Amino acid sequence: MRNSELAQVLRAANPWWSRRRRATWVLDDADLASRARHEWAPATAAARSRLAAVADRPRPGTVTLLVGMRGVGKTTAVKDVVAHLVADPATDPRRIVLFPVQLVDDAGAISTLRPTDLATALRTPTRTGAPACDGHRVLVVDEVGAVAGWPRMLADACRRGDQVLATTSVLDPADLAALTADVPAGALAVRHLQPASMSELLLAQPAGRTQDLRAEYLRHGGLPRAIAEHRDLGDVGDELVASLAAGLHVDVCRGEDGCPLDVLLSAVCATTDRFVEPEPLAQLLGLSTPQVGLLLSRLEQAHVLDPRRGLVDPLLHRLPSLLAPGRHTAPSTQHIATFSH
């Protein structure tokens, strides 16, 4: 991508650079508007508490990594931090740069910045459209795990004195180890966002009937927007299903056409017993055991799978039947209750 093209991406992603938009950009931001339409307040509060120290004031020379599966609210959480910082009169909004690593077109297809593009943008933001400013920057990198070599890029920015706040749905232990080794001691903080559990839903709705709440949870799961859409619309909407599937396809299948996500999730669901075993899954998918082992590793790194219990959220069990109802039947509520983490 040319620097001029990167500049267009950054200008669109950072409307607070404009004096006229500094106070109003939150009103028409797509992610914040989507949450406003269907918000699960306990999830918003939990995400804000995870990043309270980052939102309190700029912290130069640090890296905060926000980790969690697709749809759990990472992007809205970091935009809350940006909104808090920009609203502070003492903060120069030109210092805050949001880098959307993954771009979604009108058809819902996801494209990812090349490593060289992200490296250039982080190292020399003014060359790629960011306005000049005094002092160190706050670099907000959304879905950084999709870019090869990202630990070194974040560590370099940290050592230059910038503050980095990054999100990722995929976290390879080797990448985390590399980042930990490259940043100064004490400079790295890792925060996790997870789907709500059944017990958390019960605590949030103490007046509800336990059996009814359990039945609803086994249908919509614990992703914030899924909970809210089920409450507001009666079920999870098609837009959320499509967005979740597109993101998971990138995370797990690396966008490969020969890796149908619905078939993979359905096969995991069908073969899970006490543990997730590669052999029966390989037989069902017609793949070799090493190939299945790689897919299971990707599912785990994408925070979709707990090898000891199965898929981590009830909605993931239903996802194949929501994506392709003609090919897949939704599993029973008993199966979902048994094999959801």
Side-chain angles (χ1 to χ4, degrees), residues 8 22 26 33-34 93 125-126 129 135 146 158 170 212 217 230 240 270 282 299 314 321 338:
Q8 290 181 342
R22 176 173 180 170
V26 295
S34 176
T126 52
C158 173
V170 178
D212 292 341
Y217 174 69
H230 187 274
L240 174 57
L299 284 168
S321 63
T338 303

Side-chain angles (χ1 to χ4, degrees), residues 5 19 21 49 88 157 188 201 221 248 256 275 299 303 305:
E5 294 172 317
R19 290 183 179 179
R21 299 292 309 283
S49 69
D88 184 351
L188 174 63
L201 291 178
L248 290 177
E256 299 168 4
F275 301 97
L299 284 168
H303 305 92
L305 179 70

Side-chain angles (χ1 to χ4, degrees), residues 122-142:
L122 289 174
R123 186 172 58 251
T124 52
T126 52
R127 287 182 55 191
T128 52
C133 67
D134 296 327
H136 298 296
R137 295 185 185 268
V138 179
L139 307 176
V140 183
V141 192
D142 197 23

Side-chain angles (χ1 to χ4, degrees), residues 10-34:
L10 290 187
R11 281 196 295 269
N14 294 265
W16 48 85
W17 291 341
S18 165
R19 290 183 179 179
R20 291 180 299 174
R21 299 292 309 283
R22 176 173 180 170
T24 63
W25 70 273
V26 295
L27 300 177
D28 54 14
D29 179 84
D31 294 304
L32 297 178
S34 176

Side-chain angles (χ1 to χ4, degrees), residues 80-229:
D80 275 341
V81 171
V82 170
H84 190 87
L85 294 174
V86 169
D88 184 351
T91 301
D92 182 351
R94 297 172 300 175
R95 293 177 54 200
I96 302 171
V97 187
L98 171 63
F99 300 90
V101 168
Q102 295 187 323
L103 308 175
V104 183
D105 64 20
D106 293 338
I110 298 174
S111 60
T112 303
L113 291 183
R114 297 178 305 177
T116 52
D117 293 333
L118 181 59
T120 298
L122 289 174
R123 186 172 58 251
T124 52
T126 52
R127 287 182 55 191
T128 52
C133 67
D134 296 327
H136 298 296
R137 295 185 185 268
V138 179
L139 307 176
V140 183
V141 192
D142 197 23
E143 288 298 349
V144 71
V147 178
W150 65 267
R152 176 58 61 85
M153 300 180 203
L154 299 194
D156 287 347
C158 173
R159 287 196 296 266
R160 288 194 300 270
D162 291 325
Q163 175 183 349
V164 181
L165 172 58
T167 75
T168 184
S169 299
V170 178
L171 185 58
D172 187 324
D175 285 334
L176 180 58
L179 179 62
T180 303
D182 280 351
V183 299
L188 174 63
V190 181
R191 302 286 182 261
H192 293 268
L193 287 183
Q194 298 175 338
S197 65
M198 176 66 188
S199 60
E200 289 170 328
L201 291 178
L202 288 172
L203 289 172
Q205 303 180 80
R209 292 180 56 190
T210 301
Q211 288 303 316
D212 292 341
L213 290 175
R214 179 179 183 274
E216 292 175 2
Y217 174 69
L218 293 177
R219 183 168 180 81
H220 60 60
L223 295 177
R225 185 171 161 185
I227 298 172
E229 287 191 355

Side-chain angles (χ1 to χ4, degrees), residues 17-83:
W17 291 341
S18 165
R19 290 183 179 179
R20 291 180 299 174
R21 299 292 309 283
R22 176 173 180 170
T24 63
W25 70 273
V26 295
L27 300 177
D28 54 14
D29 179 84
D31 294 304
L32 297 178
S34 176
R35 183 183 64 184
R37 287 194 301 272
H38 302 290
E39 181 177 18
W40 176 247
T44 301
R48 287 174 176 167
S49 69
R50 297 286 192 283
L51 297 177
V54 184
D56 179 51
R57 59 182 174 82
R59 296 172 178 270
T62 64
V63 177
T64 302
L65 191 62
L66 186 63
V67 183
M69 70 170 284
R70 293 279 177 169
V72 81
K74 301 184 301 299
T75 299
T76 51
V78 296
K79 285 189 174 182
D80 275 341
V81 171
V82 170

